[in-house]
């Protein structure tokens, strides 16, 4: 009779270990996802000075644009935590979009080889930010789900696993209707 | 969307379970019907089957590349593809980006190989790059990435090993039948009806096993499609790519029967409606079924 209890306890322990390890795995995926976002944000950040220099060569008087970029860069440096970084990242994306839209008015800029390469690089990086954000948000969903659902919620609260925030790139314009102007 | 992925993985589990059940039934039948020493035969069949498959599995990337005449993709020329591939790897949570290879062939197709994600290769034909839009290419690359992430090469190798093992056991059995059995065994209380069923099962087992292997292959194709959508979040990319590739009538010169089942669409498959028999023994599900399955993902 005693050994049946022993087996039940053993199975229970194994189950608890599996749940705990599952939570650890999910938490690490979230951490990894966040660092991926950081890597891509940094990469984009590093490309910007070169871009600004190239554009200044053709459109030095577009002061407002350069100010927006500088402001957005500063926001990103100051940003703490997921929500702020999301907002700052959105600001920077918008500022960059304006620069590329600008190139339409300056055909020599558009033809500049350096500019084209930078444009391609930045587009690639924006895409990767998008993918990284998707992976991060998916991982957060999975982790939060396990933290909420029974019976893993018990293990989660014992070992203090906390729910994480989603990475929202929130700019008011992104939420509004898209204006297409020709 | 994650539900569909889970459902397909459950189906895999079911097929693997049926495989093991089949092996158990065969082993029991052979033991019942003949005088073969099953304690020797089972491990022997398994070991031989593993040995014949292990080389192909371990060096799958090199072998397939050599057979297909593929060349490594140049960084500059294919930067836009490599960027997209890297992005998809981020979305997939894959640390190592698979190596990209190109096959010079105007027929559009793609495949993935490699024993694990760290040693993986994705191969695209120049025809694919020419004929597909970027968002469609992304769907195809995501599908191949799905195969890599889901360890499909490993799974299909395991299936091949099991089929091989069953074929060996069935083959040895028929040999002992021809040579006759020990007389002191016959009449040992064996039901003649069960005997016949057992023999029938054993003779049919290689075909049953092969059918299961192909069912598994089709199941993993559905799973790769679903996984691709998980990465790209854009069903239309893959759907339109599948339509374009299957509509293209050009034969793929680089393909041969050994590698055919790894391509995104079987290069040899019949384009018209498949008969019931052909569907059962096809490596890939029919295109319309794949498209329907993808459209059901939300």
């Amino acid at each position: 009779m005693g050994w049946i209890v022993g087996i039940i306890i053993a199975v229970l322990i194994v189950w608890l270990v599996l749940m705990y390890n599952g939570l650890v795995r999910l938490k690490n995926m979230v951490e990894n996802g966040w660092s991926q976002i950081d890597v891509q944000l940094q990469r984009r950040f590093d490309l910007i000075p070169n871009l600004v220099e190239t554009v200044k060569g053709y459109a030095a008087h577009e002061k407002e644009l350069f100010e927006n970029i500088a402001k957005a860069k500063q926001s990103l440096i100051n940003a703490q935590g997921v929500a702020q970084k999301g907002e700052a990242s959105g600001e920077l994306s918008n500022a960059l979009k304006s620069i590329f839209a600008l190139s339409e008015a300056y055909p020599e800029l558009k033809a500049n080889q350096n500019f084209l390469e930078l444009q391609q690089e930045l587009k690639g990086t924006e895409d990767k930010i998008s993918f990284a954000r998707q992976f991060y948000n998916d991982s957060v969903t999975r982790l939060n789900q396990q933290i909420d659902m029974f019976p893993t919620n018990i293990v989660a609260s014992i070992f203090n696993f906390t729910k994480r925030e989603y990475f929202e790139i929130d700019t008011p314009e992104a939420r509004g209707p898209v204006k297409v102007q020709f | 969307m994650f539900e569909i992925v889970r459902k397909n993985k459950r189906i895999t589990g079911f097929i693997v379970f049926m495989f093991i059940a089949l092996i158990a039934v065969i082993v029991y039948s052979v033991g019942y019907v003949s005088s073969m020493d099953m304690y020797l035969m089972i491990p022997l069949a398994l070991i031989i089957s593993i040995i014949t498959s292990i080389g192909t599995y371990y060096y799958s990337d090199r072998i397939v590349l050599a057979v297909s005449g593929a060349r490594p993709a140049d960084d500059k020329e294919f930067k836009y593809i490599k960027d997209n591939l890297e992005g998809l790897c981020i979305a997939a949570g894959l640390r190592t980006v698979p190596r990209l290879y190109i096959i010079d062939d105007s027929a559009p197709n793609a495949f993935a190989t490699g024993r694990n994600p760290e040693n993986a290769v994705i191969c695209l034909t120049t025809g694919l790059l020419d004929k597909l839009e970027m968002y469609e290419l992304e769907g195809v690359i995501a599908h191949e990435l799905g195969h890599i992430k889901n360890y499909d090469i490993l799974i299909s190798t395991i299936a091949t090993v099991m089929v091989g093992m069953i074929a060996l056991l069935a083959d040895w059995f028929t040999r002992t039948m021809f040579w006759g059995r020990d007389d002191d065994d016959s009449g040992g209380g064996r039901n003649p009806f069960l005997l016949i069923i057992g023999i029938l099962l054993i003779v049919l087992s290689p075909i049953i096993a092969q059918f299961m292997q192909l069912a598994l292959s089709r199941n993993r194709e559905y799973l790769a499609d679903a996984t691709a959508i998980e990465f790209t979040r854009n069903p239309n990319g893959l759907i339109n790519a599948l339509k374009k590739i299957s509509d293209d009538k050009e034969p793929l010169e680089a393909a041969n029967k050994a590698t055919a089942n790894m391509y995104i669409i079987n290069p040899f498959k019949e384009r018209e409606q498949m008969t019931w028999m052909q569907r059962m023994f096809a490596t890939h599900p029919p295109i319309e079924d794949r498209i329907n399955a993808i459209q059901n993902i939300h």
Side-chain angles (χ1 to χ4, degrees):
Chain A
M1 184 43 206
W3 57 269
I4 292 185
V5 177
I7 290 188
I8 294 181
I9 294 183
V11 166
L12 218 63
I13 292 182
V14 167
W15 195 24
L16 285 170
V17 166
L18 287 174
M19 280 196 279
Y20 177 76
N21 285 351
L23 282 165
V24 168
R25 202 170 300 125
L26 288 176
K27 187 181 83 134
N28 285 339
M29 264 180 27
V30 168
E31 304 284 342
N32 178 38
W34 181 250
S35 78
Q36 283 295 337
I37 293 180
D38 246 355
V39 162
Q40 298 305 328
L41 286 177
Q42 190 61 41
R43 206 164 137 183
R44 182 177 63 172
F45 194 86
D46 291 339
L47 285 169
I48 290 177
N50 198 347
L51 179 71
V52 168
E53 281 314 302
T54 308
V55 174
K56 272 194 178 152
Y58 296 85
H61 51 281
E62 301 272 1
K63 286 242 169 66
E64 197 186 315
L65 213 53
F66 299 124
E67 269 167 30
N68 282 342
I69 296 231
K71 250 193 341 181
K73 278 178 76 176
Q74 196 54 41
S75 301
L76 202 50
I77 296 176
N78 294 340
Q80 300 282 0
V82 177
Q84 283 186 11
K85 285 221 165 153
E87 218 179 293
S89 176
E91 238 182 275
L92 194 50
S93 288
N94 274 350
L96 286 169
K97 266 188 224 148
S98 307
I99 286 206
F100 292 122
L102 183 75
S103 71
E104 297 299 319
Y106 293 85
E108 288 140 20
L109 175 62
K110 232 181 132 181
N112 181 301
Q113 191 58 31
N114 205 25
F115 180 76
L116 290 169
E117 276 176 24
L118 282 165
Q119 193 175 31
Q120 173 66 22
E121 268 303 324
L122 277 161
K123 178 180 180 305
T125 312
E126 288 282 345
D127 284 345
K128 287 187 191 156
I129 292 176
S130 179
F131 281 124
R133 181 169 145 240
Q134 183 182 292
F135 179 69
Y136 173 78
N137 284 344
D138 284 350
S139 307
V140 165
T141 306
R142 279 191 274 253
L143 177 66
N144 288 357
Q145 206 168 41
Q146 289 300 101
I147 292 180
D148 278 341
M149 277 168 54
F150 184 79
T152 28
N153 57 356
I154 302 177
V155 179
S157 59
I158 296 178
F159 292 100
N160 288 326
F161 283 92
T162 46
K163 287 169 74 161
R164 306 290 288 257
E165 277 179 270
Y166 289 103
F167 185 58
E168 314 269 350
I169 296 189
D170 229 349
T171 51
E173 298 88 55
R175 292 288 175 97
V178 178
K179 281 198 303 249
V180 181
Q181 274 171 318
F182 289 108
Chain B
M1 166 183 56
F2 297 112
E3 252 312 304
I4 308 266
V5 169
R6 272 197 288 268
K7 182 187 96 161
N8 278 314
K9 288 188 180 173
R10 278 198 293 268
I11 294 179
T12 302
F14 172 72
I15 296 181
V16 169
F17 169 75
M18 293 299 283
F19 243 123
I20 297 179
L22 179 67
I23 292 181
V25 164
I26 298 304
V27 159
Y28 181 76
S29 304
V30 174
Y32 185 79
V33 169
S34 79
S35 59
M36 271 167 55
D37 177 357
M38 293 318 289
Y39 290 115
L40 173 65
M41 294 303 164
I42 303 170
L44 199 59
L46 184 59
I47 290 174
I48 295 180
S49 195
I50 291 180
I51 290 179
T52 42
S53 296
I54 199 146
T56 346
Y57 167 67
Y58 202 78
Y59 293 107
S60 54
D61 50 349
R62 286 202 232 168
I63 292 174
V64 171
L65 289 174
V67 164
S68 314
R71 58 181 166 100
D74 172 67
D75 276 344
K76 277 208 154 128
E77 195 184 340
F78 299 101
K79 184 173 196 321
Y80 68 110
I81 298 281
K82 287 202 175 179
D83 271 345
N84 190 252
L85 178 57
E86 276 172 39
L88 285 168
C89 286
I90 293 176
L94 286 171
R95 303 280 173 104
T96 324
V97 178
R99 292 166 286 152
L100 187 65
Y101 278 74
I102 308 289
I103 291 181
D104 290 299
D105 193 314
S106 47
N109 219 319
F111 69 78
T113 187
R115 62 181 181 272
N116 53 30
E118 288 75 40
N119 289 286
V121 163
I122 291 185
C123 201
L124 310 171
T125 61
T126 46
L128 192 78
L129 295 168
D130 290 336
K131 296 180 182 171
L132 261 55
E133 307 279 345
M134 192 62 216
Y135 77 105
E136 294 162 345
L137 275 171
E138 187 182 66
V140 172
I141 296 175
H143 171 102
E144 300 306 332
L145 212 58
H147 276 311
I148 292 173
K149 184 176 181 197
N150 296 327
Y151 284 87
D152 280 341
I153 308 297
L154 175 61
I155 297 218
S156 66
T157 303
I158 292 178
T160 304
V161 164
M162 297 216 254
V163 169
M165 182 176 157
I166 291 176
L168 277 172
L169 286 172
D171 184 65
W172 291 341
F173 166 78
T174 41
R175 280 170 208 275
T176 59
M177 286 299 283
F178 275 125
W179 291 344
R181 290 173 272 129
D182 295 348
D183 276 306
D184 51 12
D185 261 356
S186 61
R190 274 184 296 214
N191 183 330
F193 181 62
L194 285 180
L195 220 57
I196 295 179
I197 301 245
I199 296 178
L200 212 60
L201 258 172
I202 297 167
V203 163
L204 287 177
S205 64
I207 298 202
I208 301 177
Q210 212 177 23
F211 162 66
M212 291 169 91
Q213 181 183 33
L214 290 160
L216 184 66
S217 163
R218 291 192 295 275
N219 161 246
R220 297 311 276 192
E221 285 302 323
Y222 279 123
L223 179 61
D225 283 342
T227 311
I229 307 306
E230 190 187 316
F231 297 159
T232 64
R233 304 292 154 106
N234 182 0
N236 289 325
L238 185 53
I239 290 177
N240 289 340
L242 287 174
K243 283 188 191 157
K244 270 192 186 173
I245 299 174
S246 72
D247 281 345
D248 191 291
K249 299 298 179 197
E250 247 188 276
L252 182 64
E253 281 134 35
N256 58 58
K257 289 196 73 184
T259 54
N261 64 332
M262 291 174 348
Y263 285 82
I264 185 169
I265 291 184
N266 190 322
F268 294 127
K269 83 156 179 57
E270 303 294 319
R271 309 297 178 167
E272 303 81 38
Q273 277 286 30
M274 289 200 272
T275 65
W276 169 86
M277 226 6 191
Q278 282 172 312
R279 286 165 161 257
M280 286 241 294
F281 284 89
T283 52
H284 289 65
I287 300 290
E288 316 85 56
D289 289 1
R290 285 173 77 174
I291 293 180
N292 280 337
I294 296 173
Q295 281 168 335
N296 284 334
I297 301 175
H298 63 112

